[in-house]
Amino acid sequence: MTTADASSFPTPPRVDAGPAYVSRTTLAPSPPPYSVVGPVAWMREHLFTGPVNIALTIIIGLLLAWIIPPFLRFAIFDAVWSGANRDVCIYTPERTAVGACWAFIWDRAAYFTYGSYPVAERWRVNVFFALLAIGVVWLLNLKAPRRDLGGVYFFVVLPILSYILLVGAPWLGLRNVETNLWGGILVTIVCSAVGIVVSLPLGILLALGRRSTMPAAKLISVIFIEFVRGVPLITVLFMASVMLPLFVPDYLQPDKLLRALVGIALFAAAYMAEVVRAGLQALPRGQYEGAMAMGLSYWQMMTLVVLPQALKITIPNIVNTYIGLFKDTTLVVIVGIFDFLKTIEAARIDPTWGAPTVSATGYLYAAIFYFICCYLMSSYARGVEARLARADKR
Amino acid sequence: MSSALATTPAALAPAQLKNETAIELIDMNKWYGEFHVLRDINLTVKRGERVVVCGPSGSGKSTMIRCINRLEEHQKGRIIVDGTELTNDLKKIDEIRREVGMVFQHFNLFPHLTILENCTLAPIWVKKLPKKDAEEIAMHYLRRVKIPEQANKYPGQLSGGQQQRVAIARSLCMSPKIMLFDEPTSALDPEMVKEVLDTMVSLAMEGMTMICVTHEMGFARQVANRVIFMDAGQIVEMNTPDEFFKNPQHERTKLFLSQILH
């Protein structure tokens, strides 16, 4: 033992070397026992702590054993991977077990993606998907260069380019494509992108209006939010596509898809307004006062001090609203628009592919598509949250 | 506390006072709903004067100084700041807020901005200074409050005393004519009170017009030209620090002083 030992207690220096049985050096730490590290320890700690957890682990294990093998049999082992029509997916004396009919998905994939968009013009949709992907990555990747330009691209350039590409511009040699030919993933993406992009700024304005001291702004915001939140999305869509034409002369009739887009965007904005309002209320009053005392105007205070902080704390809720909105777009089918789910619905009753497992396969494909999209959104939000949590600790 | 602030009182002689009015409150009244918070407040502060306001909690001290830059609205009477009367005119309110700096009990720094950005925000957006000039000014004042090396950190990384000094520097960056302090040391750990008070003393010595709501009686003795005692929304007593501490006139003042000076 020396006085330079790790011990924090001040011990008087030893003069004599001590008896022979006293160690003169610090012992190396012993390796942890088997029960503290390694997979066994992990299982003990996470799966088998106490009788309740042991019972739960066993029950869940049995449940998984019961569900997973049949699912794998259906989705992979017994699945039919290629073929041109129903013949490959029906039961025959030789083929008694038929799993997922992936041949059907493969055969109709273009229809699920583009709807009835003219085949010769589908490259335009592909370009749109690519442009959108560039915008999303540019804007959401926090390390991307020139994200301010990314914002201009996403909110100004992209909408204009998309409109020209998808709707058509005869003066550029792109022929017009009526929106009633649009369908599939294209429509789902357009509906949610418009809803997502429009609902946030509009929701912020409504939230500010609702907390405003100006009676007119407050009243309008409250009425709008409460009215829109008070009716189901289906009602809003019905109003937009059935009621509106009754009041507006024929030549002013907006396009059917456009009406649905406006309906979705307004609906999402009302929910977004309440999400943003929660964030505004969570900020301490001192932040407002600090900004006001320095002479910042209302809009400077909001854009420079309040909203950056309020939006940060509401990111999980904003993404939650986006995920809800993304799935709600399936409701446009009610006004006769062929979104992704509706194209599957239409294809599965087509007699060309009339086979026992076709419907299930179609729905499985839809579930996978929606799951991947929503999961990406929520993982991104989790990443951002983790980053902000680190920033808060500093 | 007074020993911590060993500055020569001579430097703070009232001779510095110019005979110009900086702030004038005339028969000012304020209600929160039914509750009468401020009653007939009359106060004139000359340019270069340093006024300390004390009193029990709930006496309306903070409310009074928050009325001066319109964080609170008064309902009756007049408030004239630097020759401009406070009314509902938003332009005048903004004008006055540009001239009047305020330091809060809880600092109210913006946690999403660095120290430097906190200090340059208002000069850039309100005074429309070029970013480079604003940063130069900010660094000048950060050096004055002795924390230039923290410029690129975030408020959450600083101690309470450092944060409050940044808050003072942030106000100074707007080159205010008047500074309001709303219990600047009340939320601080005891050992950080001194560094903030030192900054305030040096500010006072440069002739800044100041109104401080504080319970730091050492600070009041050392730098104040006048001490005001408030109770139940009224100014009960107003005197030079010497007279105020030696010969308090009102029973209420005596009681208050006996409780905080021991």
Side-chain angles (χ1 to χ4, degrees), chain B residues 105-122:
Chain B
Q105 182 176 358
H106 296 287
F107 332 131
N108 295 355
L109 296 178
F110 306 133
H112 64 302
L113 301 177
T114 62
I115 300 306
L116 189 62
E117 287 165 344
N118 263 282
C119 292
T120 56
L121 187 74

Side-chain angles (χ1 to χ4, degrees), chain B residues 25-87:
Chain B
L25 308 182
I26 306 167
D27 287 329
M28 199 249 289
N29 278 272
K30 174 170 179 59
W31 287 263
Y32 283 132
E34 290 284 302
F35 180 55
H36 201 168
V37 219
L38 293 176
R39 307 167 188 222
D40 296 325
I41 302 285
N42 279 293
L43 175 67
T44 307
V45 180
K46 298 257 183 285
R47 207 168 284 298
E49 196 176 12
R50 299 169 294 275
V51 177
V52 163
V53 185
C54 59
S57 57
S59 58
K61 313 169 296 255
S62 291
T63 311
M64 181 181 79
I65 70 163
R66 287 157 60 87
C67 283
I68 294 171
N69 68 351
R70 197 60 167 205
L71 287 183
E72 305 277 356
E73 198 179 334
H74 63 288
Q75 278 89 34
K76 222 178 107 191
R78 302 174 68 193
I79 299 178
I80 301 161
V81 182
D82 198 34
T84 311
E85 177 161 4
L86 265 177
T87 55

Side-chain angles (χ1 to χ4, degrees), chain A residues 9-332:
Chain A
F9 291 104
T11 45
R14 296 188 66 135
V15 188
D16 62 322
Y21 53 82
V22 173
S23 169
R24 304 249 187 327
T25 53
T26 309
L27 294 175
S30 331
Y34 190 52
S35 58
V36 174
V37 291
V40 173
W42 184 89
M43 288 206 299
R44 269 170 77 133
E45 189 179 334
H46 291 93
L47 302 179
F48 301 106
T49 31
V52 177
N53 283 356
I54 292 174
L56 278 178
T57 303
I58 292 172
I59 291 172
I60 290 171
L62 289 175
L63 214 59
L64 290 178
W66 183 54
I67 291 173
I68 291 180
F71 177 79
L72 289 181
R73 250 200 317 281
F74 174 81
I76 297 172
F77 301 127
D78 291 345
V80 179
W81 298 93
S82 58
N85 55 41
R86 66 186 289 271
D87 294 341
V88 294
C89 288
I90 50 175
Y91 294 107
T92 58
E94 301 85 58
R95 193 169 51 227
T96 49
V98 179
C101 186
W102 295 117
F104 156 72
I105 303 293
W106 187 242
D107 186 48
R108 309 306 312 270
Y111 178 62
F112 297 150
T113 311
Y114 309 104
S116 310
Y117 210 89
V119 177
E121 309 291 332
R122 282 181 184 173
W123 63 271
R124 284 154 54 176
V125 179
N126 292 336
V127 174
F128 160 71
F129 284 150
L131 290 176
L132 183 69
I134 292 171
V136 168
V137 171
W138 195 354
L139 205 60
L140 296 190
N141 183 356
L142 300 174
K143 291 191 197 101
R146 292 310 303 272
R147 289 179 68 230
D148 50 339
L149 275 185
V152 173
Y153 169 78
F154 194 85
F155 292 104
V156 180
V157 178
L158 185 62
I160 296 171
L161 278 183
S162 312
Y163 184 85
I164 292 173
L165 271 173
L166 295 176
V167 176
W171 47 277
L172 278 176
L174 299 171
R175 76 175 181 87
N176 278 325
V177 179
E178 297 288 327
T179 55
N180 57 12
L181 297 175
W182 299 20
I185 292 175
L186 169 64
V187 161
T188 294
I189 296 281
V190 165
C191 286
S192 13
V194 169
I196 284 171
V197 169
V198 175
S199 68
L200 187 58
L202 199 56
I204 290 173
L205 284 180
L206 285 168
L208 292 179
R210 187 159 191 173
R211 280 172 60 79
S212 164
T213 47
M214 288 188 290
K218 184 168 182 160
L219 189 70
I220 291 171
S221 308
V222 170
I223 290 176
F224 178 86
I225 293 169
E226 294 304 333
F227 177 74
V228 173
R229 284 203 311 163
V231 294
L233 177 57
I234 291 191
T235 315
V236 174
L237 291 174
F238 258 130
M239 296 256 285
S241 65
V242 183
M243 306 276 284
L244 200 64
L246 300 178
F247 308 128
V248 181
D250 263 356
Y251 57 93
L252 281 179
Q253 246 355 261
D255 177 83
K256 186 167 76 174
L257 181 64
L258 181 64
R259 276 175 279 160
L261 288 179
V262 171
I264 289 175
L266 294 184
F267 187 79
Y271 279 87
M272 198 53 79
E274 290 300 282
V275 168
V276 174
R277 187 165 70 99
L280 293 177
Q281 275 169 343
L283 270 205
R285 247 198 92 62
Q287 292 293 309
Y288 293 83
E289 289 178 351
M292 280 193 282
M294 292 199 309
L296 293 180
S297 70
Y298 175 82
W299 289 107
Q300 286 172 340
M301 169 174 81
M302 285 302 169
T303 52
L304 299 170
V305 176
V306 175
L307 284 173
Q309 298 184 62
L311 292 181
K312 248 187 206 175
I313 48 182
T314 42
I315 283 175
N317 294 336
I318 290 175
V319 174
N320 188 33
T321 309
Y322 281 166
I323 290 175
L325 167 70
F326 180 70
K327 292 180 293 183
D328 277 353
T329 56
T330 50
L331 291 173
V332 294

